[in-house]
Amino acid sequence: MRFAVDGPSLLLQGTLLVVGILAIMLIAERQIGAERPALAAVSHANRFDAFTPQAAAIPGSAAELDADRAGYSQTEVFPLTLFALSGMLLFPAANDLLTMFVALEVLSLPLYLLCGLARRRRLLSQEAALKYFLLGAFSSAFFLYGVALLYGYAGTLRDCRVSATRSVSIAATNRWR
């Protein structure tokens, strides 16, 4: 895997890193609803948390209610968010199509899981996660099909060589007219 380390990719990576750190800090904040009594009545442990306390618990089961009453928080959210952020950081530096596909998968797979971890309306969020996963699988298949077509045409996966092959073939076509 080859990466482009230039000014624009470093700028985009820095911007993504700053926004990602701010997002992690916002996700980690547990005292947002503590000031308002209306929100404190809704959240059981006097905190405002959008993620379910236990991802493996069946929605509405006694195990989930016990975890909610005990004040357990979802710890899987932070590594999943950081994996998605690392996929975002790979995108601007991707120099070939295979690296771009790996970045796409590292970005999207944690997002499928995060989509299914909503605290309220758990069944709907799990259904949305499944639909998002199926849509992502089809779009990844289309992406790989396009990569295979480009590889068959140019004989390489590198972006610069694919564009050079295209410009050579256009010049050859114009010369024979």
Side-chain angles (χ1 to χ4, degrees), residues 22-170:
L22 291 174
I24 289 289
M25 290 170 47
L26 184 65
I27 290 171
E29 177 60 42
R30 303 277 187 221
Q31 299 300 323
I32 291 176
E35 298 88 27
R36 291 187 247 163
L39 287 177
V42 171
S43 89
H44 298 289
N46 201 14
R47 61 180 165 64
F48 187 70
D49 191 9
F51 297 104
T52 183
Q54 282 187 333
I58 297 173
S61 68
E64 184 186 26
L65 295 174
D66 290 341
D68 197 18
R69 281 189 211 114
Y72 294 143
S73 64
Q74 184 70 293
T75 58
E76 293 92 0
V77 171
F78 302 109
L80 288 173
T81 306
L82 291 176
F83 276 125
L85 181 63
S86 67
M88 286 181 224
L89 291 175
L90 282 176
F91 256 111
N95 228 8
D96 60 4
L97 297 172
L98 188 62
T99 307
M100 193 177 296
F101 176 73
V102 169
L104 175 71
E105 291 303 312
V106 170
L107 166 67
S108 62
L109 287 175
L111 293 179
Y112 302 150
L113 294 172
L114 285 171
C115 186
L117 293 179
R119 177 180 288 274
R120 291 152 192 87
R121 295 185 169 187
R122 290 261 326 264
L123 291 176
L124 289 176
S125 98
Q126 289 173 355
E127 179 187 357
L130 180 65
K131 288 178 180 178
Y132 186 32
F133 174 74
L134 292 174
L135 181 68
F138 284 122
S139 64
S140 293
F142 285 126
F143 183 81
L144 282 178
Y145 183 67
V147 167
L149 288 176
L150 280 174
Y151 182 74
Y153 172 73
T156 185
L157 294 174
R158 302 271 323 260
D159 291 341
C160 60
R161 291 187 186 156
V162 169
S163 65
T165 303
R166 183 174 180 269
S167 64
V168 167
S169 73
I170 289 174

